[in-house]
């Protein structure tokens, strides 16, 4: 063996070391640059809604009137069968949401607070996500002592013109709920929102009906107070960026655009599941969600169809901002008839939804961190779908 080769060995090691060093330096710089880019972007950041129209236009039978909709003058009447709501009065515990402004009024102090200033300058982009340890309810109640009963907060020194209700469909995911509350309250307060969190729990062990729980949340929230819009929120999705504003949308807004579990990509353009926001007027117009989806899947696509049918469109924030971490859970078995229900549902938008919603309100209670609603859901799917 020639001597230069033997001598080469230590040089080879040194060479690799230098290479590794250069690579590390490069990686470090990229990370720092990305971080700076995020931080710099924040300073001059303006939220722009990304409009996204999808699929074919509304079918021919769509009422023409919807094209030039005057939302202030909606004459869409929603009736909920009164007999079945809150029947069991002995176990029903109903209170109303008291707002900070109500207290101010009671105390006789001035109610003409100035409108809240633009908060976009105070947002800083990515926020930390904590998946463990799971906090205790008591520790959260102690930590968020600035909350008003019912999971409500609004800026004490200024007024916000829109009131937001977060509706969380729920059953048997206690750990997720605690992590969700731990994350959301500071997040929403930072955005200077007037908000209330409603956790709508399904009673019993029957198939879960996410969409119907949203309808229940909507109805019960409006009984407690005035809300300008609703944000329907899976309990296992945590927003990663505080520029993702939980404000009221002009058009239905799909919010969970980029989820870590889906490699931060939008799975398909018409998707409306996970987290979505709709104004109260639009939700009424759409007749809410369908009540016919029992078990996993389909209900969000049906809502997507409703939106298109009424010639509204799905708006989205940019993919770099509308980012979420999903907490892990076992996958529920998909409802095998979801495509069938989805297909038949196209003719049922006006029959199936808020105006045939039936449930028993088993419990409604204002906890500090959220308003808890427990509902027994009535199944009328077969009335519609097997005729
Ligand atoms: N959910 C719940 N308990 C259940 C099933 C669903 O609380 O047993 C609620 C919860 O808010 C959850 C949402 O419904 O985030 C959507 O269900 P899931 O997370 O199972 O759907 P996926 O993430 O698989 O689409
Ligand atoms: Mn999930």
């Amino acid at each position: 063996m020639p001597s230069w080769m033997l001598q080469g060995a230590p040089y080879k090691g040194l060479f690799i070391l230098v290479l590794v060093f250069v690579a590390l330096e490069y990686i470090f710089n990229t990370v720092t640059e990305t971080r700076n880019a995020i931080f710099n972007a924040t300073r001059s950041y303006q939220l722009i809604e990304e409009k996204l129209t999808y699929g074919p236009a509304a079918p021919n039978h769509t009422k023409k009137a919807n094209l030039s909709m005057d939302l202030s003058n909606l004459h869409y009447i929603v009736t909920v069968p009164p007999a079945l709501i809150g029947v069991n009065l002995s176990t029903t515990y109903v209170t109303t949401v008291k707002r900070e402004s109500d207290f101010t009024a009671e105390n006789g102090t001035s109610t003409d607070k100035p409108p809240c200033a633009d908060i976009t300058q105070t947002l800083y982009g990515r926020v930390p996500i904590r998946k463990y340890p799971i906090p205790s309810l008591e520790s959260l109640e102690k930590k968020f002592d600035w909350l008003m009963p019912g999971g409500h907060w609004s800026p004490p020194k200024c007024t916000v013109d829109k009131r937001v209700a977060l509706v969380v469909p729920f059953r048997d995911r206690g750990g997720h709920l605690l992590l969700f509350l731990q994350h959301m309250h500071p997040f929403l307060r930072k955005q200077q929102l007037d908000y209330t969190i409603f956790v709508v729990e399904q009673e019993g062990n029957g198939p879960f009906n996410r969409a119907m729980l949203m309808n229940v949340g909507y109805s019960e929230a409006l009984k407690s107070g005035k809300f300008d819009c609703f944000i329907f929120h899976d309990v296992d999705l945590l927003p990663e960026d505080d520029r993702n504003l939980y404000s009221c949308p002009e058009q239905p807004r799909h919010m969970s655009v980029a989820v870590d579990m889906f490699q931060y990509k939008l799975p398909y353009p018409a998707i409306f599941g996970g987290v979505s926001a709709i104004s109260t007027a639009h939700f009424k117009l759409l007749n809410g969600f369908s009540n016919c989806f029992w078990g996993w899947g389909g209900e969000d696509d049906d809502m997507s169809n409703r939106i298109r049918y009424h010639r509204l469109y799905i708006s989205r924030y940019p993919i770099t901002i509308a980012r979420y971490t999903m907490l892990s859970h076992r996958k529920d078995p998909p409802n095998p008839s979801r495509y069938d229900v989805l297909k038949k549902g196209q003719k049922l938008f006006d029959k199936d939804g808020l105006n045939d919603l039936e449930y028993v309100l088993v419990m409604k209670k204002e906890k500090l961190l959220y308003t808890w609603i427990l509902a027994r859901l009535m199944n009328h799917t077969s009335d519609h779908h097997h005729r």
Side-chain angles (χ1 to χ4, degrees):
M1 200 178 282
S3 60
W4 61 267
M5 255 186 146
L6 286 171
Q7 281 168 359
Y11 286 112
K12 211 160 115 192
L14 201 67
F15 181 67
I16 288 168
L17 206 74
V18 169
L19 262 186
V20 167
F21 182 76
V22 169
L24 277 178
E25 165 103 351
Y26 176 77
I27 290 166
F28 179 75
N29 278 342
T30 322
V31 170
T32 320
E33 265 168 40
T34 318
R35 240 185 43 197
N36 288 346
I38 291 165
F39 276 68
N40 290 337
T42 316
R43 270 176 224 130
S44 57
Y45 185 75
Q46 284 271 309
L47 269 184
I48 307 161
E49 284 198 10
E50 183 183 282
K51 291 185 182 176
L52 192 130
T53 43
Y54 57 89
N60 292 333
H61 55 274
T62 303
K63 285 164 258 155
K64 276 260 155 53
N66 288 335
L67 277 171
S68 53
M69 224 172 7
D70 177 6
L71 291 180
S72 60
N73 196 20
L74 276 179
H75 57 278
Y76 207 86
I77 299 160
V78 175
T79 49
V80 180
L84 283 154
I85 296 173
V87 282
N88 195 349
L89 282 174
S90 57
T91 57
T92 304
Y93 180 71
V94 184
T95 46
T96 48
V97 175
K98 226 175 212 173
R99 307 194 171 283
E100 208 144 349
S101 52
D102 298 337
F103 286 102
T104 322
E106 275 168 22
N107 297 340
T109 31
S110 165
T111 48
D112 40 34
K113 294 179 283 185
C116 292
D118 177 19
I119 44 101
T120 46
Q121 294 301 307
T122 70
L123 303 173
Y124 51 69
R126 299 287 195 267
V127 292
I129 301 281
R130 278 197 284 166
K131 298 196 210 179
Y132 47 83
I134 294 174
S136 70
L137 190 67
E138 295 72 40
S139 73
L140 290 182
E141 286 180 342
K142 207 176 269 177
K143 195 161 149 201
F144 302 144
D145 59 355
W146 39 266
L147 278 170
M148 308 290 288
H152 167 69
W153 187 81
S154 64
K157 296 200 176 79
C158 58
T159 55
V160 191
D161 57 342
K162 298 277 168 74
R163 284 176 165 171
V164 184
L166 261 78
V167 174
V168 182
F170 179 81
R171 186 173 68 188
D172 197 22
R173 299 233 177 138
H176 285 183
L177 181 60
L178 290 165
L179 289 168
F180 175 79
L181 296 165
Q182 167 176 263
H183 188 74
M184 291 313 293
H185 280 302
F187 182 93
L188 297 166
R189 181 160 87 141
K190 188 132 200 304
Q191 295 189 352
Q192 296 275 295
L193 299 162
D194 180 327
Y195 73 91
T196 308
I197 296 182
F198 293 88
V199 173
V200 191
E201 180 173 0
Q202 179 172 337
E203 193 199 52
N205 311 316
F208 194 71
N209 193 326
R210 178 177 175 271
M212 200 164 169
L213 292 172
M214 316 279 217
N215 287 342
V216 172
Y218 168 90
S219 307
E220 290 302 327
L222 287 182
K223 281 183 208 162
S224 311
K226 173 187 163 285
F227 291 99
D228 298 284
C229 66
F230 285 79
I231 300 187
F232 301 102
H233 212 302
D234 279 7
V235 74
D236 56 14
L237 287 172
L238 307 179
E240 295 179 3
D241 195 304
D242 68 3
R243 296 167 297 178
N244 183 357
L245 291 183
Y246 277 49
S247 55
C248 288
E250 295 228 336
Q251 288 286 328
R253 179 193 294 151
H254 178 242
M255 299 185 67
S256 48
V257 177
V259 179
D260 62 346
M261 213 89 92
F262 307 129
Q263 285 70 49
Y264 293 109
K265 286 185 194 129
L266 193 70
Y268 54 98
I271 194 169
F272 201 63
V275 184
S276 54
I278 310 184
S279 70
T280 305
H282 278 165
F283 198 71
K284 213 179 271 189
L285 172 81
L286 296 164
N287 193 19
F289 281 92
S290 164
N291 299 315
C292 297
F293 291 87
W294 299 89
W296 184 93
E299 82 294 341
D300 48 341
D301 295 327
D302 180 86
M303 177 47 94
S304 197
N305 288 342
R306 284 171 190 242
I307 290 166
R308 189 175 49 195
Y309 175 84
H310 285 281
R311 301 205 176 200
L312 303 174
Y313 60 80
I314 296 177
S315 64
R316 290 193 176 92
Y317 286 137
I319 197 155
T320 47
I321 286 166
R323 289 164 63 93
Y324 286 80
T325 295
M326 194 193 268
L327 302 169
S328 56
H329 57 81
R330 263 185 299 137
K331 183 140 177 50
D332 273 8
N335 164 14
S337 66
R338 66 191 186 284
Y339 294 117
D340 194 35
V341 180
L342 191 61
K343 196 154 169 253
K344 286 182 185 161
Q346 314 247 8
K347 294 178 222 113
L348 298 167
F349 294 152
D350 297 337
K351 289 192 192 72
D352 163 26
L354 288 176
N355 62 12
D356 78 335
L357 176 63
E358 288 188 50
Y359 61 95
V360 178
L361 180 66
V362 182
M363 180 77 92
K364 185 172 185 179
K365 190 167 181 171
E366 288 193 345
K367 307 213 167 211
L368 183 63
L369 302 177
Y370 56 93
T371 301
W372 176 42
I373 292 161
L374 180 63
R376 187 175 309 146
L377 307 180
M378 305 296 164
N379 189 340
H380 289 299
T381 308
S382 50
D383 302 352
H384 289 313
H385 287 270
H386 300 293
R387 238 176 246 160

